């Protein structure tokens, strides 16, 4: 199944083994991987029980894909490389279970929270489960459960770092559980939920932001962040600050002074960064996000719906009166009226995009 974006072409595609006969699943999976990454050879442990699904998001220069799959082994051989090579780097972020990959005499055993970089221009071997003994790598090994990963695919030349340095990272386990790796992971996962809401120009900006984050993450592994262009460092800093704000919206003490101190920049630099990049002040950005979070929570109805006062507290508002005035000024109704309309199933009042802060 494919979804077409406003600029033409397929923006988002989804496929699975649901309708694929068991004898054809290995070939089907090889075709999916060939289109998303590069041609490989695949061996399934048990074609009858094998299940897999994939989604691919096209962001122009970059692609993002998600994979879930059962027990298998795969190989990208010199013969396949000679037949055709997209010359891509792929950064895989593990979300479920474990797998391994070998490339350029490096071996990586990966589990959820790990990342690994690999290159379509070099032979590699990969499989589900823990890293096996070399003597047993000829066939697929059983593995309970399903492996899940999300991958960023980009042309080799787009990663503006010394190729020889990047090669040292191939098939090495990289930690993506915290810091920049966690920010990158959250950013990539959010694309599946929200990319289709973006206009073509916005998707281009999203692609550039993803390239910056991916490049910065790789540079961090090489201790080479200072070699990045100044504009890339600026955009990465902005993304780190945005994640910091989103994670701390419930804290009434979230102030521009705190944000600047935590990111080791001056208050003046913080103000300039937001005004130039986001067209709003830091305080306005915090207020907008708090109200957007409250609006989403108030739209929830039913037995588990949170109380209005709880919604306000969880968004960092210090009093019900302050929250009510702020909400009405943006959405044109009080929080109570908004909840009443949502409960009645009537269209709720506007969006914060329709008003200024």
């Amino acid at each position: 199944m494919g979804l077409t974006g406003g600029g033409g072409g397929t923006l988002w595609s989804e496929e699975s083994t649901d309708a694929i006969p068991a004898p054809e699943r290995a070939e089907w999976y090889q075709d999916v991987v060939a289109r998303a990454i590069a041609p490989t050879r695949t061996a399934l442990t048990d074609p009858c029980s094998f299940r897999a699904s994939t989604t691919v998001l096209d962001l122009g220069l970059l692609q993002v894909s998600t994979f879930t799959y059962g027990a298998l082994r795969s190989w990208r051989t010199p013969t396949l490389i000679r037949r055709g090579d997209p010359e891509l780097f792929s950064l895989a972020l593990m979300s479920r279970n474990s797998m391994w990959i070998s490339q350029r005499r490096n071996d990586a055993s990966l589990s959820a929270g790990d990342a690994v970089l690999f290159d379509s221009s070099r032979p590699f071997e990969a499989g589900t489960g823990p890293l096996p003994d070399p003597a047993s790598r000829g066939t697929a090994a059983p593995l309970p459960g399903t492996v899940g990963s999300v991958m960023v695919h980009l042309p080799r030349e787009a990663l503006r770092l010394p190729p020889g340095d990047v090669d040292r990272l191939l098939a090495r386990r990289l930690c993506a559980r915290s810091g920049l790796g966690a920010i990158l992971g959250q950013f990539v996962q959010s694309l599946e939920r929200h990319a289709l809401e973006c206009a073509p120009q916005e998707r281009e900006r999203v692609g550039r932001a993803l390239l910056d984050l991916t490049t910065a993450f790789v540079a961090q592994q090489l201790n080479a962040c200072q070699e990045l262009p100044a504009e890339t460092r600026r955009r990465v800093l902005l993304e780190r600050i945005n994640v910091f704000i989103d994670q701390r919206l419930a804290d009434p003490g979230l102030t521009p002074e705190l944000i600047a101190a935590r990111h080791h920049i001056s208050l003046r630099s913080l103000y300039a960064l937001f005004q130039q990049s986001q067209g709003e002040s830091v305080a306005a950005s915090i207020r907008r996000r708090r109200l957007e979070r409250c609006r989403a929570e108030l739209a929830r109805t039913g037995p588990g719906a949170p109380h209005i006062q709880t919604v306000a507290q969880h968004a960092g508002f210090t009093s019900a009166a302050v929250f009510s005035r702020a909400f009405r000024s943006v959405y044109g109704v009080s929080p109570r009226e908004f909840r009443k309309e949502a409960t009645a199933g009537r269209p709720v009042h506007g969006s914060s995009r329709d008003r200024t802060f």
Side-chain angles (χ1 to χ4, degrees):
M1 178 178 70
L3 294 176
T4 301
T10 300
L11 167 67
W12 181 266
S13 62
E14 303 175 70
E15 298 181 76
S16 76
T17 53
D18 289 351
I20 307 299
E24 300 174 16
R25 287 173 187 167
E27 183 177 352
W28 172 88
Y29 190 77
Q30 286 182 168
D31 179 63
V32 167
V33 173
R35 286 184 278 115
I37 308 173
T40 60
R41 180 166 60 87
T42 301
L44 307 183
T45 300
D46 182 2
C48 291
S49 64
F50 180 79
R51 297 290 185 275
S53 64
T54 180
T55 62
V56 178
L57 172 65
D58 190 349
L59 292 173
L61 180 64
L62 288 78
Q63 280 195 333
V64 176
S65 62
T66 64
F67 283 88
T68 60
Y69 50 92
L72 57 77
R73 293 282 174 84
S74 62
W75 299 262
R76 179 145 171 83
T77 64
T79 299
L80 290 173
I81 294 171
R82 286 194 296 270
R83 289 177 184 170
D85 180 20
E87 298 185 354
L88 294 176
F89 280 130
S90 293
L91 181 68
L93 298 107
M94 296 294 298
S95 58
R96 188 192 309 171
N97 227 308
S98 61
M99 66 159 289
W100 58 271
I101 185 168
S102 298
Q103 186 173 57
R104 202 174 177 266
R105 298 182 181 178
N106 294 332
D107 297 318
S109 185
L110 310 162
S111 58
D114 292 332
V116 67
L117 184 71
F118 60 97
D119 183 356
S120 71
S121 301
R122 298 177 182 270
F124 64 75
E125 182 180 355
T128 52
L131 185 68
D133 183 273
S136 65
R137 290 191 185 179
T139 59
L143 173 72
T146 301
V147 173
S149 66
V150 58
M151 301 187 190
V152 180
H153 313 287
L154 65 160
R156 290 175 57 88
E157 66 271 13
L159 198 60
R160 297 180 180 178
L161 294 166
D165 292 343
V166 176
D167 285 349
R168 292 191 284 108
L169 292 181
L170 298 178
R172 292 192 178 279
R173 186 177 67 85
L174 309 174
C175 180
R177 294 179 177 85
S178 61
L180 193 54
I183 292 172
L184 174 60
Q186 292 171 20
F187 186 92
V188 171
Q189 290 170 3
S190 72
L191 295 179
E192 186 173 1
R193 298 189 298 272
H194 302 298
L196 293 180
E197 302 166 6
C198 299
Q201 310 93 295
E202 294 173 322
R203 291 197 296 270
E204 289 180 10
R205 290 196 292 270
V206 167
R208 289 195 298 271
L210 179 56
L211 176 59
D212 287 335
L213 283 172
T214 304
T215 302
F217 176 69
V218 174
Q220 185 183 66
Q221 311 306 310
L222 297 169
N223 294 317
C225 288
Q226 293 307 311
E227 297 181 18
L228 296 175
E231 182 63 17
T232 297
R233 295 200 302 272
R234 185 187 67 81
R235 289 196 291 257
V236 170
L237 174 61
L238 179 63
E239 184 60 31
R240 289 177 60 193
I241 291 173
N242 281 329
V243 170
F244 180 87
I245 291 173
D246 287 340
Q247 291 175 340
R248 291 164 175 79
L249 284 178
D251 179 6
L254 180 65
T255 62
E257 290 79 7
L258 174 67
I259 295 167
R262 290 291 184 89
H263 292 85
H264 310 292
I265 60 175
S266 69
L267 198 57
R268 181 177 179 181
S269 297
L270 178 65
Y271 289 150
L273 179 65
F274 266 65
Q275 200 60 51
Q276 294 167 10
S277 304
Q278 307 208 152
E280 61 182 355
S281 70
V282 184
S285 180
I286 294 171
R287 183 168 177 264
R288 171 179 57 80
R289 295 181 209 199
R290 282 176 167 158
L291 289 172
E292 287 173 351
R293 176 175 291 185
C294 290
R295 185 178 189 272
E297 286 296 300
L298 290 173
R300 292 171 51 195
T301 59
H307 190 275
I308 292 175
Q309 186 174 353
T310 302
V311 170
Q313 289 174 343
H314 287 176
F317 286 97
T318 55
S319 74
V322 170
F323 170 53
S324 184
R325 285 196 301 271
F327 194 92
R328 183 185 288 277
S329 71
V330 173
Y331 297 113
V333 293
S334 71
R336 191 173 302 280
E337 291 167 335
F338 184 92
R339 168 61 64 77
K340 184 177 180 180
E341 291 179 352
T343 302
R346 294 194 295 268
V348 292
H349 284 68
S351 162
S352 60
R353 296 177 184 175
D354 301 329
R355 302 167 185 267
T356 60
F357 286 89

